[in-house]
Structure formats: C-alpha cells, structure tokens
C-alpha cells in the first residue's frame, strides 16, 4: 500500500464542481393505481355527492400508495483484498443487454465512470473487462450542446464542433496525482435488483465512458480488479443522487471484513434504510447529523466532538474538528479511502495515548508508513489492544473494534491504521477500514448518518 495520502485516497482529492443538474430520472409513479373515466359533464346531482366521491377517491389513492412503496434496490458489494486492493467494489449492470462491471464504491466523489472499449470485434475482450458500447442498444453519448455537457467546467467550448450534428460531449476527470480518465459523457440503462428479487431497469443514467485511462490512481494496485468508479457523493450527478429522488434519497451499505476468505458479499442498497431491515432493533441504531461544507459540497461531513482511548478523553482542542471559513477542516466519511486520517494535532494525541496503553511488545521493525506496530504472533493477545471511541454530534458514539484501526501488515505484525493529515489544513477522513462491520445509512433527505453493528450481510 502506498504511504502518502495522495496515493491511498485518490477519490476525494479532486472533485469536479458541477452546478445544479436537472434530475435525470423520471420521478413519476411506476404505475397508475386507479383508472377512472373522463366525463365531459358533471355527473353529480349535488356538491355533497361530489365531495363524497372525492373523499372516497382520495382514500383509495392513499391506500394504494401505502400498499406500493418505492422498492429498495440492491447491488452486491465486496472487498477487493483478493486482488491486492484496499477498496470495496460494487457490481454495476449497465447497457442493453446488461454488462456487469465492478466499480470502486466511492462516497468521496460524484462522477460515475467506467472503462470503455471502442472495439468492433470484441471477442478478444474477456467478460467484464470493459464496457462495450457497440454491444448495447441503449448507449447514447450526450451531444456537446446538451445542457448536461455544458455544465461540466472542464469541457471548454472549442471541444464542441459547431459544424457537426453528432459531436459528442467529452469529459476529462483528473486526480491530484495526475491520473486521468477521459472519454464521452453519456447516458445508459442500468439494471438493478430489488429486495424482493425482481429486476428493474432504469433509463438515462449519466456516466463517463472512459476510453483513455492513465495514472496510478486508476490503474495502480489500489485499482486492481476495478473497471471504474461509482461516485456516491452528494453532488447532482452521483449514482446515489440520480437514483435517490425516486427511491427515498438515501442509501446504505456494510463493508465486510476484508480478511475473510472467500470475501463475503454484502449489498449497496438504494432506498429503504436501516429501519426497514427485519433484524434491526431501533434502539441499536445511532444517528448523527450530516454537515454541509459549501466549498466541498460532494463530501459527507460529520461532527466529531472528542475521542477517547480506553475511556480517557484526549486533550484535543474542539477547533481541530471545525470547518473553517476557507472550507478546511471537518471530518469526512469516505468509502474510497482505506486508512483513517486525523488532523495532525488530534493524531499526535491518539498516537501518544496508544503508545502509553498498548501492552504488547513492539514489532522488530516498523512497517514503512506507520508510526506504531506491535507483535501479535500470539493470537490471544489481540483483545488487549486499546479501545477507541469517537463522540459524534447529537450524542452518538462510534465505537469500532480494534481490528478496524489495527491493520495486519505482515505475519504476526499489526500497525495502527490511523495517520496524520499531511499539510495541516486538510480534513480528517474516516476510511473504509474503520467502517468495517457497520451498516451505514446516508440519509440525504434528513441530512443524517445512521450506523448499526447489526444487519451486515443482509438481505
């Protein structure tokens, strides 16, 4: 694993700032619940009869709505550990007929993009190695004059050929380390399953069809096995936003333990929520508000109030966790980052407390990139690792097990998987390792994050 923040977490360093985008999905009801004849004259002999009829009709409509709630969509979500990646992959079925591709599930970016091939005879392409637009009857690039394309700040006017009727919208997505994905900004049909097992086809999903991909962020070890990125951020073109207005404007997932083999499968769920799961006890769900940073509208910010180690509150100035006027600071929940990063002042206190409380022998050598490594050759010693608790806004407490912040780096050695934010002015990040084993619900409608230790692996 790379040791710099730039390489470990490429998906939240560079955010495409897109302006308000019209909802890309038809929000109309899936079917008419009642069909009544249209009459050209008033059939009622009195206003009271009309009122009685309206009351009856409204009762039927409300009953139908209660019987036919919006379904919850699901897509398999697995760890990329078997391919050497610290990311989690979600299965996206796109095109007509559907082509299945594994994408990095990333709450720290908005754009959905996939690796594409312009091949005519695609027989030499292994299945699921790339999206093949020529094999889909529903693929359509946006025209360069389309409003969707004009909202992309990286698409200068000279890229649009005024003399051609079929000039496609071109996108260029650049990461901070120089990695890029470029191609056609397009729309396609995606096929998803519901909790009941039925399938639903959703038209006009906006995504980037990437024909040219280069750089370590999108082709290095962290990307092994992935064919693109599913942006799940708060912006208007993210996967969760495009589907959200039709399916409750919320999504949830559980990142299963990456050390298990074969890697277990959980699900990314669009709609529904924690309370819709039958095994979830409402008293076990904790909620904390989602904060908004106007200068970084893509990210899911939460309020960290304090940190305790083995029950002792650390002396960290609360201003460390605040978002300042320049948009720096704050704490982001990001599935596209593996480790957890804390502001330097907070990290120093956590590291100091850990060193004081770890009862295990130090490793013979530090694993490069880590400041604290211990010898755990005796498996029974692992429970003695210190316990970390995050006190969050609204009184919520996030208390992950030690395996969420101590990482196996080699045989018999575990290292503290928390690092300092480089530069001193960035935000803190709760990475995917720290999120393991928790069912997380991003409720954008209520602007809150829910989390529970129950329900992982379901449905």
């Amino acid at each position: 694993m790379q040791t710099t923040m730039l390489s470990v977490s490429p998906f939240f360093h560079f955010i495409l700032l897109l302006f308000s985008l019209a909802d890309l999905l038809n929000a109309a009801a899936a079917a008419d619940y009642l069909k009544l004849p249209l009459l050209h004259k008033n059939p009622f002999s009195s206003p009271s009869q009309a009122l009685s009829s309206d009351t009856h009709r409204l009762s039927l409509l409300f009953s139908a709505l209660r019987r036919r709630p919006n379904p919850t969509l699901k897509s398999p979500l697995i760890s990329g550990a078997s391919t050497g990646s610290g990311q989690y992959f979600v299965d996206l079925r796109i095109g007509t007929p559907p082509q299945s591709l594994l994408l990095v599930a990333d709450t720290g970016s908005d754009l959905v993009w996939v690796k594409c091939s312009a091949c005519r005879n695609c027989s030499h392409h292994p299945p699921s190695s790339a999206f093949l637009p020529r094999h889909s009857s529903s693929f359509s690039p946006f025209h360069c004059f389309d409003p969707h394309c004009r909202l992309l700040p990286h698409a200068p006017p000279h890229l649009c050929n005024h003399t051609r009727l079929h000039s496609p919208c071109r996108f260029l997505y650049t990461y901070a380390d120089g990695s890029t994905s470029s191609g056609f900004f397009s729309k396609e049909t995606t096929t998803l399953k519901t909790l009941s097992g039925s399938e639903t086809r959703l038209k006009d999903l906006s995504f980037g069809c990437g024909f040219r991909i280069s750089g370590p962020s999108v082709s290095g070890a962290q990307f092994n096995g992935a064919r693109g990125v599913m942006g799940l951020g708060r912006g208007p073109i993210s996967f969760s936003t495009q589907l959200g207005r039709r399916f409750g404007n919320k999504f949830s997932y559980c990142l299963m333990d990456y050390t298990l083999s074969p890697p277990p499968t959980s699900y990314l769920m669009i709609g529904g929520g924690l309370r819709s799961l039958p095994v979830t006890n409402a008293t076990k769900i904790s909620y904390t508000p989602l904060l908004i940073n106007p200068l970084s509208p893509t990210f899911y910010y939460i309020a960290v109030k304090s940190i305790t180690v083995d029950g002792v509150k650390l002396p960290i100035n609360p201003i460390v966790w605040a978002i300042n006027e320049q948009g720096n600071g704050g704490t982001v929940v990001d599935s596209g980052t593996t480790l957890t990063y804390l502001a330097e002042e907070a990290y120093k206190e956590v590291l100091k407390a850990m060193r004081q409380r770890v009862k295990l022998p130090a490793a013979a050598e530090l694993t490069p990139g880590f400041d604290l490594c211990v010898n755990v050759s005796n498996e029974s010693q692992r429970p003695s690792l210190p316990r970390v608790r995050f006190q969050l806004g609204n009184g919520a407490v996030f208390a992950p097990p030690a395996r969420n912040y101590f990482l196996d780096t080699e045989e018999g050695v575990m290292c503290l998987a928390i690092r300092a934010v480089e530069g001193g002015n960035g935000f803190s990040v709760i990475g995917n390792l720290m999120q393991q084993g928790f069912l997380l619900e991003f409720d954008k409608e209520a602007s809150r994050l829910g989390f529970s230790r129950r329900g992982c692996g379901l449905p």
Side-chain angles (χ1 to χ4, degrees), residues 274-275 282 285-289 393-396 441 443 448-451:
L274 302 190
R275 295 184 185 277
I285 302 174
S286 298
Y287 291 98
T288 191
N394 201 35
E441 176 190 83
D443 188 341
R448 65 181 183 175
L449 175 71
F451 54 94

Side-chain angles (χ1 to χ4, degrees), residues 147-197:
H148 297 87
C149 187
R150 292 202 303 268
L151 292 174
L152 297 176
H154 61 276
H158 70 268
L159 289 182
C160 193
N161 191 327
H162 292 254
T163 64
R164 297 177 60 184
L165 294 177
H166 303 291
S167 184
C169 174
R170 300 178 184 273
F171 81 94
L172 173 65
Y173 199 91
T174 303
Y175 296 102
D177 66 348
S179 299
T180 62
S181 174
S182 63
F184 298 152
F185 194 49
S186 312
K187 57 184 177 180
E188 213 4 318
T189 295
T190 181
T191 303
L192 294 165
K193 286 190 175 182
T194 67
L195 290 185
S196 64

Side-chain angles (χ1 to χ4, degrees), residues 262-273:
T265 298
S266 59
Y267 293 90
L268 168 69
M269 295 185 290
I270 306 292

Side-chain angles (χ1 to χ4, degrees), residues 48-76:
S48 61
Q49 184 180 358
L51 179 61
S52 175
S53 178
D54 283 349
T55 301
H56 178 64
R57 175 175 170 79
L58 288 175
S59 175
L60 291 175
L61 285 171
F62 290 141
S63 297
L65 288 173
R66 285 194 294 268
R67 291 194 304 269
R68 294 285 301 275
N70 286 327
T72 298
L73 306 179
K74 67 176 184 178
S75 186

Side-chain angles (χ1 to χ4, degrees), residues 115-443:
K115 178 181 178 181
C116 285
S117 173
C119 61
R120 291 183 180 274
N121 179 6
C122 304
S123 59
H124 64 284
H125 281 268
S128 303
S129 61
F131 177 64
L132 311 176
R134 294 181 186 274
H135 287 205
S136 173
S137 61
S138 51
F139 174 77
S140 177
F142 286 116
H143 190 276
C144 62
F145 288 144
D146 190 286
H148 297 87
C149 187
R150 292 202 303 268
L151 292 174
L152 297 176
H154 61 276
H158 70 268
L159 289 182
C160 193
N161 191 327
H162 292 254
T163 64
R164 297 177 60 184
L165 294 177
H166 303 291
S167 184
C169 174
R170 300 178 184 273
F171 81 94
L172 173 65
Y173 199 91
T174 303
Y175 296 102
D177 66 348
S179 299
T180 62
S181 174
S182 63
F184 298 152
F185 194 49
S186 312
K187 57 184 177 180
E188 213 4 318
T189 295
T190 181
T191 303
L192 294 165
K193 286 190 175 182
T194 67
L195 290 185
S196 64
S198 62
E199 288 190 345
T200 184
R201 299 176 75 247
L202 304 175
K203 297 181 179 180
D204 298 339
L205 174 73
S206 294
F207 77 108
C209 193
F211 291 104
R212 295 183 178 179
I213 301 168
S214 64
S217 294
V218 293
S219 59
Q222 284 293 304
F223 215 71
N224 284 349
R227 308 304 178 195
V229 176
M230 179 182 284
L232 294 167
R234 304 184 80 166
I237 61 168
S238 77
F239 188 79
S240 57
T241 299
Q242 290 188 60
L243 273 62
R245 291 175 185 170
R246 181 173 175 179
F247 297 97
N249 212 21
K250 65 178 64 174
F251 69 95
S252 58
Y253 61 71
C254 178
L255 307 181
M256 303 293 281
D257 189 344
Y258 77 98
T259 64
L260 299 179
S261 182
T265 298
S266 59
Y267 293 90
L268 168 69
M269 295 185 290
I270 306 292
L274 302 190
R275 295 184 185 277
S276 67
L277 295 177
V279 300
T280 302
N281 187 328
T283 61
K284 297 296 184 180
I285 302 174
S286 298
Y287 291 98
T288 191
L290 287 171
L291 309 180
I292 296 177
N293 181 351
L295 298 180
S296 298
T298 291
F299 300 147
Y300 296 97
Y301 284 87
I302 58 173
V304 175
K305 300 298 184 180
S306 63
I307 296 179
T308 64
V309 176
D310 282 346
V312 178
K313 183 179 177 179
L314 303 184
I316 301 172
N317 191 330
I319 200 172
V320 170
W321 308 114
I323 302 173
N324 64 25
E325 294 180 354
Q326 290 74 43
N328 297 318
T331 303
V332 171
V333 179
D334 183 21
S335 63
T337 301
T338 302
L339 306 184
T340 288
Y341 292 84
L342 301 179
E344 190 171 5
E345 182 179 334
Y347 173 71
K348 287 181 179 178
E349 293 297 333
V350 170
L351 181 61
K352 177 182 176 182
M354 286 289 183
R355 283 173 170 166
Q356 291 174 345
R357 290 170 173 80
V358 167
K359 306 302 181 183
L360 302 175
E365 294 182 2
L366 286 175
T367 300
F370 297 91
D371 296 321
L372 174 62
C373 298
V374 295
N375 187 326
V376 289
S377 54
N378 185 345
E379 290 288 330
S380 64
Q381 294 176 327
R382 296 190 181 214
S384 63
L385 293 168
R387 298 301 302 272
V388 174
R389 290 175 179 261
F390 295 83
Q391 317 296 320
L392 307 178
N394 201 35
V397 177
F398 181 65
R403 66 175 178 272
N404 284 26
Y405 48 88
F406 271 93
L407 177 69
D408 290 281
T409 58
E410 56 183 282
E411 186 69 28
V413 175
M414 297 187 77
C415 297
L416 180 64
I418 301 175
R419 297 185 58 191
V421 177
E422 297 178 0
N425 60 354
F427 42 72
S428 298
V429 180
I430 305 298
N432 63 45
L433 183 64
M434 191 71 78
Q435 299 174 39
Q436 281 189 165
F438 285 86
L439 187 59
L440 272 66
E441 176 190 83
F442 295 78
D443 188 341

